[in-house]
Amino acid sequence: MSTPTLLLIAVAVLLLVGFVLVAPPLLRRWERRQQNSALDLFRMQREQLEAKFFDLARERGIPRDLRWVECDWLDEVTFGRAIDDGLLTAFAGVNIRFEAIEGGDMEEVESVGLIRDAAAIFHFHNGRWGTGGRAMFNMDPHAAIERLAGQYEPVTTG
């Protein structure tokens, strides 16, 4: 092989080694920046997301024979990332109050009026936060992440 060919091969190898060494930290930094932007966006849109959650949750009709009356939103939010596909998820603390639907099976149940702790679920998909109006009842956001261990990993903020 000629000297220019060897020199070209050496430069190509050096560039490849440099890329292999530099790319992973740059990729992690970019992912962290994207994640922090998503978390900031959640905080900015939280009020609208909470309203959307309440509307969708009422429409779903779950729990059966109960009407959603009020959501009292708590400050606590825990973020997680789905292990299988990387979906960023927010679990927001909320106290929910229901009332029985007239003529339903829950009409005579005394505990219907009790306030329920829950973790409302929000997902970040295609650059936007959304919700399906789903909640994990009888737990706070931290407990929700623990309950879903193996499916979600906690996201550190900051």
Side-chain angles (χ1 to χ4, degrees), residues 31-156:
E31 287 173 344
R32 194 169 35 254
R33 204 174 268 164
Q34 293 295 102
Q35 173 184 291
N36 289 340
S37 293
L39 301 184
D40 289 342
L41 187 60
F42 178 83
R43 291 178 186 108
M44 288 187 304
Q45 296 177 339
R46 184 166 176 181
E47 192 172 317
Q48 293 92 349
L49 290 165
E50 290 170 354
K52 180 76 169 177
F53 171 89
F54 185 70
D55 290 343
L56 290 173
R58 279 194 320 198
E59 291 172 10
R60 291 183 65 227
I62 297 173
R64 188 178 48 121
D65 293 329
L66 295 178
R67 181 179 300 114
W68 289 62
V69 176
E70 181 181 27
C71 286
D72 182 22
W73 294 94
L74 308 175
D75 291 337
E76 185 180 4
V77 177
T78 301
F79 294 94
R81 184 173 299 285
I83 292 172
D84 62 349
D85 64 4
L87 182 68
L88 188 59
T89 301
F91 299 88
V94 62
N95 291 322
I96 304 169
R97 194 166 62 82
F98 299 102
E99 65 183 14
I101 294 174
E102 298 77 17
D105 292 339
M106 301 297 285
E107 195 169 20
E108 300 298 321
V109 177
E110 286 184 39
S111 63
V112 165
L114 297 176
I115 294 172
R116 307 284 181 206
D117 291 332
I121 301 170
F122 302 89
H123 297 292
F124 188 72
H125 182 67
N126 290 335
R128 299 178 66 189
W129 283 100
T131 183
R134 298 180 184 273
M136 296 177 70
F137 288 96
N138 303 316
M139 63 184 71
D140 63 22
H142 182 71
I145 285 276
E146 287 180 355
R147 176 83 183 262
L148 296 172
Q151 296 175 49
Y152 285 87
E153 58 187 7
V155 168
T156 55

